[in-house]
Amino acid sequence: MIALGADHGGYELKEEIKKHLEAKGIEFVDCGTYSPASTDYPIWAKKACGEITSGRAEKGILCCGTGVGISMAANKIRGIRAACCSDYFSAKYTRLHNDANVLCLGGRVLGVGLALELVDVFLETEFEGGERHKRRIELLHSLEEN
Ligand code: RB5
C-alpha cells in the first residue's frame, strides 16, 4: 500500500500519480488534499505519513510545489525517512542507501514524465542493506527528539 499526499502545489501531480499507480495495479490510499484550493502542506504530510507509521502503508509519495516543504514536514515524524528528489539517481540511491520510505516531488519543478519515472524507480528499488547503511540509518533516527 502506498500513501499519497499533497498540498495545492502538488495536487495535479498527485492526480497523475494516482492514474499511473492505478494503471500498474499498485494499491494506494489518497490522503488528500482533494482539490486545488490553497492549503498547508504539513497537514497532508502528517496524514499520509500516519499511514506508514501505523503500518497500513509501506511507503509514501508526497507532492507540493517544490517537494521541499512537504519533505521537511515528513522528516519531523518519527520513523519517516523522506527524500525530495528531482533526478533518477537520487530517487534510486535513496532507496538503496537510505531505505527512504517517502518520496517527495515538486509539482512545479518536474514534468509529469520525469516524476513518474522517479515514482517507478523509487517503488521498484529495494534497500541494499549492509552494516554501514543500517548503522547510518540508526544514527539518523537517534537524532529524533522526544
Ligand atoms: C505553496 O505555494 C508552496 O509554498 C508549497 O507547495 C511548497 O512548494 C512548499 O515547500
Side-chain angles (χ1 to χ4, degrees), residues 14-98:
K14 173 171 68 67
E15 296 307 297
E16 294 294 332
I17 293 169
K18 280 164 61 178
K19 282 190 249 166
H20 183 68
L21 296 181
E22 249 157 31
K24 296 190 104 178
I26 296 173
E27 279 195 320
F28 61 84
V29 53
D30 182 358
C31 298
T33 186
Y34 303 109
S35 87
S38 181
T39 184
D40 303 327
Y41 53 81
I43 297 169
W44 311 106
K46 184 177 178 187
K47 202 172 164 208
C49 290
E51 294 294 307
I52 299 169
T53 56
S54 69
R56 288 189 290 272
E58 300 91 60
K59 293 193 185 86
I61 301 171
L62 302 178
C63 307
C64 68
T66 58
V68 174
I70 208 157
S71 71
M72 289 178 167
N75 277 317
K76 295 281 182 196
I77 299 167
R78 186 176 292 277
I80 296 299
R81 293 178 300 283
C84 180
C85 297
S86 303
D87 69 279
Y88 190 91
F89 187 86
S90 299
K92 178 173 179 177
Y93 274 78
T94 200
R95 287 289 310 127
L96 286 171
H97 287 187
N98 314 127

